[in-house]
Each structure stands twice: as C-alpha cells, then as structure tokens.
Amino acid sequence: MLTNYSLVFQESNRQKSIVAAIKHAESLCMAENQNFTALRRLVFEIIWENSVPLGAYEVKGILSRKTNKSVDPPTVYRAIEFLMGLGLVTKISSLNAFIGCPFPSSTRSNFFMICNECKRVAEVSSSEIDNEIKSIAGKLSFASERQQIEIFGTCISCKTDK
Amino acid sequence: MLTNYSLVFQESNRQKSIVAAIKHAESLCMAENQNFTALRRLVFEIIWENSVPLGAYEVKGILSRKTNKSVDPPTVYRAIEFLMGLGLVTKISSLNAFIGCPFPSSTRSNFFMICNECKRVAEVSSSEIDNEIKSIAGKLSFASERQQIEIFGTCISCKTDK
DNA sequence: TCTTATAATGTTATATTATAACATATTAAT
DNA sequence: ATTAATATGTTATAATATAACATTATAAGA
Ligand SMILES: [Zn+2]
Ligand SMILES: [Zn+2]
Ligand SMILES: [Zn+2]
Ligand SMILES: [Zn+2]
C-alpha cells in the first residue's frame, strides 16, 4: 500500500516533498522530451503547495497574483492538461478540482480519500483493490484501462477535533 | 457480486426492468413519505430508458420534447437531486452525467464500468472491494462514508465488434 | 546566421454545467 | 376555508471548460 496519507493529514512541513516533487517532474519531462516551462512549473507548484484540491479558477487566481498579470482560463487549463498527461496532477472529478499526484510513476490505481470537513485529499495505491477490480473486470470480459476511486469521509484529525 | 452488467451490455429488451424499476421507485417514495410526482417520474423514466448516462441538459431536451413545452434547468436539476437522494439515480462525476441505479437499496459501493466506445455504464456491487476499502480506511483511521468508483475501459460487445 | 518548423502561450469568444433567488401553484393539514 | 408545506415555474447568473485563431518563443535544418 502506497500512501501519502500521513503527509496530507498529519505532517506540517510539506516543503521537502514539494521540492522532491518538482525534481521528479523535471526529470520526468526530460525523459519524455517534454518542456517543463516556467508557466507549467508555476501551475505545478500552485497545485502542489495545497493539500486541498484546487479548482481551475482558483489556480487562475493564484497564478494571476503570483505573476501580477491577468490570466485567462485556457492558460490554466492547458497547463493542467499537460501535467495530467504526465500523471503529475490528477483531477478529482466529483470536486472539479485538481491535486498533485504523490507517486506519478505508479501504474496502480488512483484511490483518493477525501475529507468532507477539511477537504484535504490523500492518495492511496492499493494492489489488493487493483487486483480485485481486475478480477471482476475479467469475469465480465470488460477490458479496464483506467480507474478513478473517490472515497469521501472524515479524516483522523477532523474526527478528533470534535 | 451484484451487477447489471449483462443487462446493460448484452440484453436487448430492457423494458421489463424499467417497469420493475418504476414500481420500486414508487414503493420507495411511499415508504420514505416522498412524492413521486409526474415530473419526477418522467425524469426517472428518461434516465432509466438509457443505458448511457445522460447529461442534465440532455434530460432537459428529452423532457421538453416529451411534454411539448420548454423546460428550464432548475426543473431538471431538482428532479435529479430528488432521485439521487433516494439512491434511484447516480451521477457519474467524470462524465457530468446521470444513470439509473439498478439496485438502489444496496448499501454497498457504487462501482461503475464505463465503456469508452459505446458509453454504456454497468454497475457492479462488490463486497470484496467494499471490505478492502473499509480495511484500508480502518488502517488509516479514515471514516469512509461514501465512495464512487469509476472504471473506464472497453466492454465485451465493443471489443468483439472490432 | 538565417530560415523554417514546431511548440507554447496569448487572446477573444463562447459552450457547457449548475445554482441562487424569488414567484406561483399545488397539495396536505388544521 | 385557512394555513402551512411541498413542488414547480421563471429569470438571472455563477462556475466550469473549450474552440478558434493570433502571436511569440524555441528548436532544428539549411
Ligand atoms: Zn496519483
Ligand atoms: Zn479532515
Ligand atoms: Zn447504484
Ligand atoms: Zn462498449
């Protein structure tokens, strides 16, 4: 089980992981012959700096403030699309919002635990669930390609806060 | 494993199941002291008649044609919200579209297999996956409440069609 | 180095999805 | 009948996302 749960829900200092994430993004782009431009890097950082998924227009606002100029939607959506293509960012469909992927090179399922209270999202990668899905798909002759699993509930810190 | 897979991906005559679904919706509303009004019934039928999830504005269009009068968005969204509240209809978040739930009284997970080719959606309810999710959530002290699992791929009929 | 091709970004306009707020009508309860 | 509750009608607008085309930056070939 691969998880960034403690990072998201318990640790305070995320800075280290962000630096590592940027390094990883850079080398991934290098390897894929893709350009990690200033704009893409900025959007990556904005999304990564938040443990809460951001909507595209929130990213737009932050980007605008950071660069001191107005930003139009396509600018943001294109950068996000690029980052999603590399698996560096994932969309949480039920929130229309985007979150950094902590282990983009994993081929396993995206599996998000979303706290209804604090809105933070942790990603878990479970081979057991993966295998179970494959098994069911196999029985039904469904060729699965991609899956998105969103679990809503209450995280440990919000539970104990009450 | 509860599934409407063969219904969705293989059978041709869905009429029988729709009639049963309406019966079920009626008695559920009765039990919950909710009003299964003409409008709600129409929206329910429209969504149920399709094995493909419909967007709210598609429902709006069909509803408008069926009733020969113009329909405004809130009308549709309110009916859908009502049906979702009873578990009769589910939103496929990644498609912004709605589909009838074949076993609304099941307390288990929604688990959708979405064919990228024909867009049809089958629902599977697996206690194995449910338990695995509960187990992981337990380990992480995450109190899960609701989950949405969307598997994208190719269904058997689209696979053999090629 | 100049030219050309490719990739990335800027810009304007618009499409799509969803909700807020308030008015009216229908139904149920007193 | 009157009141309260529920449901629907209506208008306006918010929020999310993309299409289409112009411009700029970067890389590759001559
Ligand atoms: Zn991921
Ligand atoms: Zn929380
Ligand atoms: Zn269901
Ligand atoms: Zn298919």
Side-chain angles (χ1 to χ4, degrees):
Chain A
M1 186 173 78
L2 236 56
T3 172
N4 67 335
Y5 190 85
S6 64
L7 177 68
V8 169
F9 286 119
Q10 288 160 343
E11 284 182 27
S12 52
N13 188 357
R14 308 184 74 243
Q15 216 53 46
K16 211 174 79 183
S17 79
I18 293 168
V19 172
I22 291 175
K23 283 244 152 53
H24 181 263
E26 275 172 348
S27 59
L28 187 63
C29 284
M30 196 85 84
E32 302 268 336
N33 227 38
Q34 297 292 324
N35 221 329
F36 198 57
T37 63
L39 176 66
R40 289 165 176 174
R41 173 191 298 261
L42 264 171
V43 170
F44 180 85
E45 283 170 5
I46 288 168
I47 291 176
W48 253 91
E49 277 161 15
N50 286 274
S51 44
V52 168
L54 296 180
Y57 281 73
E58 289 178 284
V59 174
K60 175 177 172 292
I62 297 169
L63 184 57
S64 180
R65 260 171 275 137
K66 284 205 176 191
T67 59
N68 275 311
K69 60 177 180 179
S70 85
V71 170
D72 296 306
T75 302
V76 172
Y77 280 101
R78 281 193 288 228
I80 288 174
E81 187 181 42
F82 173 85
L83 297 169
M84 293 215 314
L86 290 172
L88 296 166
V89 159
T90 312
K91 179 172 185 175
I92 309 290
S93 303
S94 43
L95 301 176
N96 292 321
F98 305 89
I99 189 88
C101 176
F103 19 88
S105 43
S106 164
T107 57
R108 283 191 256 146
S109 44
N110 299 315
F111 176 177
F112 301 97
M113 306 185 98
I114 304 163
C115 179
N116 289 322
E117 309 274 328
C118 66
K119 308 301 174 192
R120 285 183 290 182
V121 174
E123 186 168 348
V124 178
S125 183
S126 154
S127 52
E128 284 84 2
I129 291 199
D130 238 48
N131 291 336
E132 194 58 47
I133 287 174
K134 274 182 196 133
S135 153
I136 290 173
K139 278 180 202 150
L140 301 176
S141 300
F142 184 92
S144 71
E145 287 158 22
R146 187 177 76 75
Q147 64 216 35
Q148 174 103 6
I149 306 181
E150 301 176 3
I151 320 283
F152 297 86
T154 310
C155 78
I156 183 162
S157 40
C158 286
K159 219 172 0 182
T160 52
D161 280 2
K162 280 197 229 151
Chain B
M1 186 173 77
L2 235 58
T3 172
N4 65 335
Y5 190 86
S6 64
L7 176 68
V8 170
F9 287 120
Q10 288 159 343
E11 283 180 28
S12 54
N13 187 358
R14 308 184 73 242
Q15 215 52 46
K16 211 174 78 182
S17 79
I18 293 168
V19 172
I22 291 176
K23 283 243 152 54
H24 181 263
E26 274 173 348
S27 59
L28 187 63
C29 284
M30 195 86 85
E32 303 268 335
N33 227 39
Q34 297 293 325
N35 221 331
F36 198 55
T37 63
L39 176 67
R40 289 165 176 174
R41 174 192 298 262
L42 263 172
V43 170
F44 179 85
E45 282 170 5
I46 289 167
I47 291 176
W48 253 90
E49 277 160 15
N50 286 274
S51 45
V52 167
L54 296 180
Y57 282 74
E58 289 178 285
V59 173
K60 176 177 173 290
I62 297 169
L63 184 58
S64 179
R65 259 172 276 135
K66 284 205 175 188
T67 58
N68 275 313
K69 58 178 180 177
S70 86
V71 170
D72 295 306
T75 302
V76 172
Y77 280 101
R78 281 193 288 227
I80 289 174
E81 189 181 41
F82 172 85
L83 297 169
M84 294 215 313
L86 290 173
L88 296 167
V89 158
T90 311
K91 179 172 185 176
I92 308 289
S93 303
S94 44
L95 301 176
N96 293 318
F98 304 88
I99 189 88
C101 176
F103 18 90
S105 43
S106 164
T107 56
R108 283 191 255 148
S109 45
N110 300 315
F111 176 177
F112 301 97
M113 306 185 96
I114 306 163
C115 179
N116 290 321
E117 309 274 329
C118 66
K119 308 299 175 194
R120 283 183 290 183
V121 173
E123 185 167 349
V124 179
S125 183
S126 153
S127 52
E128 284 84 1
I129 291 199
D130 236 48
N131 292 336
E132 194 59 47
I133 287 174
K134 275 182 195 133
S135 153
I136 291 173
K139 279 180 202 150
L140 301 175
S141 299
F142 184 92
S144 71
E145 288 158 20
R146 186 177 77 75
Q147 64 217 33
Q148 174 103 6
I149 306 180
E150 301 176 2
I151 319 283
F152 297 84
T154 310
C155 79
I156 184 162
S157 40
C158 286
K159 217 171 7 183
T160 51
D161 280 0
K162 280 197 234 153

